[in-house]
Amino acid sequence: KPFNAAHLPTESDFPGVGSSALIPGFPLGFRDHLHHLPVVRQAVVASVYGLRFDGNGYFLTDARTHRGTSGAPVVMRVPPDAQRFGDLPWLLLGIHAMRLDLCSRDLRQDEALGLNCAWYSSVLPILVSPR
């Protein structure tokens, strides 16, 4: 079933830094071939949700992601008693966009950041609207 406006977070739903999230996707094209299902990676909200990181339309997640995950939903489970969500027990926080790294990182000495950018669900209508 598709997400709708009821699945978008309101200010009272904003997750705190360190909140658990999930990113279902197809890293490097990997999936359950028999059932045609994605794999799900555990993520943590890594920046203050609701404040655009560096003024951009995204927030940060800390998750192990790979090529093929871009475009995957970043979701958070809502309590079973939350009526407004209907059939899907998920809050759509955003859409995974890309891994984030520093160009100044010493590739021999420093590990990758392991951080990702996720477009806020509130900017999705702007991103997908025809110009």
Side-chain angles (χ1 to χ4, degrees), residues 41-114:
R41 299 308 299 246
Q42 180 72 39
V44 172
V45 176
S47 64
V48 176
Y49 191 90
L51 295 179
R52 294 174 172 224
F53 190 81
D54 268 347
N56 296 303
Y58 56 78
F59 62 99
L60 301 183
T61 63
D62 184 346
R64 188 168 178 212
T65 60
H66 298 83
R67 279 183 304 107
T69 308
S70 298
V74 178
V75 297
M76 183 173 81
R77 186 174 281 286
V78 295
D81 59 340
Q83 295 298 316
R84 79 168 222 244
F85 296 100
D87 293 341
L88 293 174
W90 304 104
L91 188 63
L92 178 62
L93 300 178
I95 300 295
H96 174 77
M98 63 184 164
R99 289 178 294 185
L100 185 66
D101 206 355
L102 296 173
C103 56
S104 61
R105 177 172 67 90
D106 183 327
L107 296 177
R108 291 169 296 171
Q109 192 171 354
D110 302 321
E111 291 183 41
L113 290 175

Side-chain angles (χ1 to χ4, degrees), residues 26 30-39:
F26 303 94
F30 184 74
R31 66 186 179 283
D32 177 338
H33 289 87
L34 177 62
H35 301 103
H36 308 290
L37 295 172
V39 295

